[in-house]
Amino acid sequence: MRKLYSILFLFLCVTYAIGQNTGPKVKLKWSYKMSAFGKSYLVGAEDNGGAYNLYICGEPMFVDMSDEIGILVEYKDIAKFTNFLRNVRNKYSQWNRVAKEHDVKNFYKELAFKYTGCAFYRSKGQYYKVTNVQLDTWFYVDINGHTKIKMTTTKYVADGRRSGGRFKIVFSSIGEIDNLIKIVSQSGGKLEEKRKQQAAESSDPIDALFQ
């Protein structure tokens, strides 16, 4: 009887594992430019059966506290984050035009748009997820009249036990923020294409003839 229970338990474990397997993970990477720092930053996506997360790296404000840090946009928040970026982009376009028309210099003002969601950081090879992180946005005109949008965390990205510090994302042109909006808004479609490609590559070509 004990042997029978052991076999039944093993069968249930295998059945559960098969039910949890939603197919191979699909991973993609993009990059977006922040000319304020003279380099590009990674945007990574990982899809496991339709739902996916986006990892958008920012510029660390304390380099000794984390190796990578940025925004973690969960699948359910993709539309919310895209709309946030579009609102910031439209206000940037408006205020940039006003600043040019009136020859504004050395000016700093906070935008009304804020985003609250998740963030991530990597320290010593380990990734950590942090919830309820707020991004504030600022419009800045330097002494030469060049405009920027800065998105930053005002509080430390911490999970109660450790901290990854803070980070910022700075756009120096409409084109830079448009590029990130394009990546975020098209990420779902790109992952779907990749998923179909992987499925086609792993399928039996003979079996595919008999549909």
Side-chain angles (χ1 to χ4, degrees):
M1 182 64 70
R2 181 176 298 176
K3 184 177 181 181
L4 178 60
Y5 284 150
S6 299
I7 294 173
L8 179 59
F9 176 78
L10 179 62
F11 172 77
L12 291 173
C13 289
V14 172
T15 303
Y16 176 81
I18 293 173
Q20 294 300 303
N21 183 13
T22 55
K25 289 185 177 181
V26 180
K27 297 181 180 181
L28 286 177
K29 293 181 180 180
W30 302 270
S31 65
Y32 72 104
K33 186 176 181 180
M34 281 197 277
S35 58
F37 307 111
K39 57 184 178 180
S40 294
Y41 293 76
L42 176 70
V43 179
E46 182 175 288
D47 177 6
N48 189 9
Y52 65 96
N53 294 329
L54 284 178
Y55 299 83
I56 304 173
C57 292
E59 174 69 12
M61 298 174 71
F62 303 98
V63 294
D64 59 331
M65 296 188 71
S66 60
D67 302 314
E68 283 182 320
I69 187 170
I71 307 166
L72 194 171
V73 187
E74 296 181 306
Y75 177 74
K76 62 182 178 61
D77 293 328
I78 295 293
K80 170 186 169 184
F81 185 69
T82 303
N83 289 333
F84 163 74
L85 288 178
R86 285 175 175 154
N87 287 332
V88 172
R89 185 255 186 225
N90 292 337
K91 182 58 69 174
Y92 181 24
S93 178
Q94 176 191 343
W95 284 6
N96 178 66
R97 183 173 61 253
V98 172
K100 301 299 182 186
E101 290 174 353
H102 296 273
D103 195 28
V104 177
K105 295 179 182 178
N106 197 25
F107 177 75
Y108 209 63
K109 184 172 182 177
E110 185 175 10
L111 278 70
F113 306 113
K114 302 178 185 293
Y115 176 82
T116 301
C118 298
F120 76 95
Y121 67 94
R122 180 173 63 87
S123 178
K124 298 179 180 179
Q126 182 71 39
Y127 280 90
Y128 301 94
K129 172 185 174 181
V130 182
T131 59
N132 198 33
V133 174
Q134 179 174 293
L135 279 180
D136 295 329
T137 55
W138 296 82
F139 176 76
Y140 173 65
V141 188
D142 65 20
I143 58 173
N144 297 312
H146 300 142
T147 63
K148 294 179 174 63
I149 283 288
K150 182 171 76 171
M151 297 162 37
T152 181
T153 52
T154 55
K155 296 182 179 180
Y156 279 60
V157 177
D159 61 2
R161 295 168 295 171
R162 58 187 67 83
S163 174
R166 294 168 56 199
F167 68 91
K168 56 187 173 182
I169 295 176
V170 179
F171 301 107
S172 302
S173 68
I174 299 296
E176 288 186 6
I177 191 170
D178 279 343
N179 183 44
L180 183 57
I181 291 172
K182 181 179 179 181
I183 290 171
V184 174
S185 62
Q186 295 183 359
S187 57
K190 296 295 184 182
L191 284 164
E192 178 64 22
E193 292 176 9
K194 183 70 173 180
R195 191 186 308 113
K196 290 180 178 178
Q197 178 186 346
Q198 288 187 180
E201 291 173 351
S202 62
S203 64
D204 184 344
I206 301 300
D207 181 72
L209 296 174
F210 300 91
Q211 299 296 324

